[in-house]
Amino acid sequence: MVKCRICNSPFTTVLINREFVDNGLFPLQDYLLYTCLTCGFVFTQNNNEHLLSDYYRTMSKYANSYAFSSERMGCVRELFERNITKESSILDVGCANGEFLEELQRAGYRNLLGIDLSTTGNRKLENGHIIPIKQTSIFDFKSNTGFDCVTALGVLEHVANVHEFFDRCSSVLNDNGFFVLAVPNLGR
């Protein structure tokens, strides 16, 4: 029985089952997405944070692609314009290749940092600016300062320990800071 990571309900069902060939390189042999019949949360089946870390560090499709729709980006941009100043310190958790951070930089935000398991390093922009990206998880991330805004866009459904994830994001967030969370909408 697989329990929901949000509400702990035992009433879950398999939404997607994808099998992979075991070639010794891919750490996950099959990939299951579950949906909770109680709260509707959709999540991966794997509770092994180290296995997930290995996958995202070595095999992730997110490292080289931009996974957000222009509609979602428009909503996030609007939220930022209304609530986040250009001087705010912003941490993007699960930033993949840093394209969202680049969008923020183009919009005038200057104090940006990304963390991701699959990153290969800083993102150099056409204008010569560099956005720092650290290869780490929120669970291992260390910072001497807090952030005015922490984002996790398309990340939560990949996290094995959701409650610890929220605790860690909260621990790096300044008082009165903003936490911006986006998850896929399966209805679209």
Side-chain angles (χ1 to χ4, degrees):
M1 170 188 1
V2 175
K3 290 186 176 182
C4 176
R5 295 189 183 150
I6 297 288
C7 71
N8 210 30
S9 169
F11 303 110
T12 61
T13 187
V14 174
L15 183 66
I16 296 172
N17 182 2
R18 185 168 173 201
E19 294 181 19
F20 297 98
V21 175
D22 183 6
N23 60 7
L25 299 174
F26 192 75
L28 303 174
Q29 275 60 57
D30 60 319
Y31 186 81
L32 297 168
L33 274 182
Y34 286 87
T35 187
C36 176
L37 301 174
T38 303
C39 72
F41 184 61
V42 175
F43 57 97
T44 61
Q45 92 288 2
N46 197 313
N47 288 318
N48 185 326
E49 201 68 53
H50 295 294
L51 208 63
L52 288 174
S53 293
D54 287 346
Y55 167 72
Y56 291 118
R57 198 176 349 269
T58 60
M59 304 295 288
S60 177
K61 68 178 181 177
Y62 301 108
N64 298 312
S65 69
Y66 197 41
F68 304 108
S69 69
S70 59
E71 180 182 347
R72 182 185 291 181
M73 286 307 302
C75 292
V76 172
R77 260 190 240 106
E78 184 180 319
L79 176 74
F80 269 67
E81 288 169 4
R82 286 191 315 226
N83 299 290
I84 311 295
T85 68
K86 303 293 185 189
E87 295 78 29
S88 295
S89 56
I90 301 168
L91 174 66
D92 188 16
V93 177
C95 70
N97 64 3
E99 287 191 51
F100 175 65
L101 292 167
E102 183 175 353
E103 292 264 339
L104 290 177
Q105 193 273 337
R106 279 193 201 123
Y109 295 91
R110 296 183 290 277
N111 193 2
L112 306 171
L113 175 64
I115 61 173
D116 196 281
L117 293 170
S118 66
T119 188
T120 56
N122 298 336
R123 182 167 180 91
K124 187 171 183 178
L125 308 179
E126 291 177 13
N127 63 11
H129 289 106
I130 293 177
I131 298 174
I133 299 175
K134 297 182 185 241
Q135 186 173 22
T136 188
S137 74
I138 189 64
F139 304 106
D140 298 325
F141 178 67
K142 307 268 190 277
S143 178
N144 294 330
T145 61
F147 293 86
D148 300 314
C149 178
V150 174
T151 63
L153 310 177
V155 174
L156 188 65
E157 64 277 11
H158 301 277
V159 174
N161 188 331
V162 174
H163 299 288
E164 185 181 346
F165 176 80
F166 285 131
D167 288 345
R168 284 295 298 140
C169 288
S170 178
S171 75
V172 298
L173 193 60
N174 289 333
D175 291 344
N176 299 316
F178 286 88
F179 179 59
V180 179
L181 176 72
V183 294
N185 180 352
L186 292 177
R188 299 195 84 166

